[in-house]
Amino acid sequence: LPAIYLLTVLLFTIPASAQSRQEDSIFYQSALTHSTSLYFDQVGDQSRLFNGSLYPGFDLTFQTGSAYFLTDKATKGSVVYDNIPYPNLSIFYEDYRQYLVVMDQAYQLKLVNERVSSFTIAGHHFIYMFLDSLNRGIPSEGFYEVLYTGRSKLLKHTSKKVREIISVSEGLSRYMDDTNDYYIWRLNSYVAVSTKRELLDYMYDHKKDVQRFIRKNKLDYRNDKENTLIQVAGYFDKIANY
């Protein structure tokens, strides 16, 4: 409560003096930044970030694969939630059900996906995509990893499914299978890229240039699809006439 009062007082009293003297504007911005930081430090669990539900956990074990992105252990990351950036959080991402989880002391809280603009974990950046006119071509709402941020923006979407096999000798065995789909921004829409031919067809206006680039740099689409897509998207942006 004291922190909320302090923030309110600063917000409504400092601007009056700032209007009377222009040189006070620097002091005002500094005080506002400090008070906002103090507010979030003191309200703790009352802040917007910690209003999600408890993470239900995932108890199944698998012969191969995992329900989590990289690891089920919390690691340092950042989240933009309700348009407010939160750096240096302990988070993990269960990409099987697309649950982003933040650690709050001893609790694991599942954030509301639609309120997460983006998050970064272990150097991987994800954004939440809505089905709207700005994201034409995206098949479903959810988190997509941003692999390339140029004009030919490249996104990756991972979907996972549990596969169960029953045998007399081993009983029930579970496997987590994952599928990665890639989408590149072309002609005001995202298009799915499944094959090398599709990639070249989307870049028809510089198809031969892209083919030469792939050969020259010894890019292997079949065995190294992700790196090939990133390299080609960057090269295409350099030579394309937008």
Side-chain angles (χ1 to χ4, degrees):
L1 182 60
I4 298 175
Y5 174 76
L6 173 61
L7 181 62
T8 303
V9 170
L10 283 169
L11 285 174
F12 287 98
T13 61
I14 294 179
S17 63
Q19 292 174 1
S20 61
R21 298 184 60 186
Q22 184 175 0
E23 58 269 22
D24 286 347
S25 61
I26 297 177
F27 168 75
Y28 168 66
Q29 293 297 332
S30 177
L32 179 59
T33 301
H34 175 71
S35 63
T36 303
S37 176
L38 181 64
Y39 167 74
F40 283 115
D41 286 343
Q42 292 194 22
V43 297
D45 291 353
Q46 300 176 43
S47 71
R48 294 184 184 182
L49 185 64
F50 299 112
N51 59 6
S53 58
L54 288 176
Y55 173 61
F58 199 91
D59 297 330
L60 299 181
T61 58
F62 302 94
Q63 298 296 111
T64 59
S66 170
Y68 300 90
F69 176 73
L70 299 181
T71 177
D72 60 348
K73 307 299 182 183
T75 186
K76 287 298 181 183
S78 60
V79 178
V80 177
Y81 196 71
D82 283 342
N83 296 318
I84 298 175
Y86 294 86
N88 299 318
L89 295 175
S90 292
I91 62 176
F92 62 89
Y93 178 40
E94 187 214 294
D95 52 358
Y96 171 61
R97 293 177 292 188
Q98 293 210 349
Y99 287 171
L100 180 61
V101 182
V102 60
M103 302 297 295
D104 177 29
Q105 299 179 11
Y107 297 100
Q108 298 178 339
L109 299 178
K110 179 173 69 70
L111 301 183
V112 180
N113 286 358
E114 293 80 3
R115 298 169 68 177
V116 179
S117 302
S118 64
F119 70 92
T120 300
I121 182 171
H124 296 263
H125 185 63
F126 292 81
I127 58 176
Y128 190 86
M129 303 287 285
F130 291 95
L131 293 179
D132 55 29
S133 59
L134 297 177
N135 300 318
R136 287 189 294 272
I138 291 299
S140 61
E141 289 191 359
F143 289 117
Y144 290 73
E145 184 179 357
V146 181
L147 299 179
Y148 175 71
T149 59
R151 293 288 298 272
S152 300
K153 183 183 291 185
L154 179 64
L155 304 179
K156 174 184 177 182
H157 183 267
T158 299
S159 56
K160 293 185 173 182
K161 292 183 179 180
V162 177
R163 177 167 50 94
E164 297 182 341
I165 297 178
I166 300 177
S167 67
V168 176
S169 59
E170 298 183 7
L172 177 63
S173 298
R174 293 187 179 92
Y175 302 83
M176 182 67 80
D177 299 329
D178 61 80
T179 301
N180 296 317
D181 296 309
Y182 298 89
Y183 302 89
I184 193 168
W185 182 259
R186 286 289 286 136
L187 302 177
N188 298 317
S189 178
Y190 285 101
V191 291
V193 183
S194 301
T195 66
K196 181 179 178 181
R197 175 174 292 183
E198 286 181 346
L199 175 63
L200 293 173
D201 287 344
Y202 293 143
M203 300 179 172
Y204 60 90
D205 43 350
H206 292 282
K207 185 174 182 178
K208 292 183 178 180
D209 294 324
V210 172
Q211 286 177 316
R212 283 193 293 266
F213 175 80
I214 292 175
R215 288 195 299 268
K216 179 180 178 181
N217 292 275
K218 299 180 180 179
L219 299 176
D220 187 346
Y221 184 89
R222 176 174 296 179
N223 298 311
D224 193 13
K225 179 185 295 186
E226 192 164 305
N227 178 59
T228 299
L229 288 171
I230 294 171
Q231 296 295 328
V232 168
Y235 173 72
F236 182 80
D237 280 353
K238 290 180 180 180
I239 63 174
N241 297 317
Y242 289 105

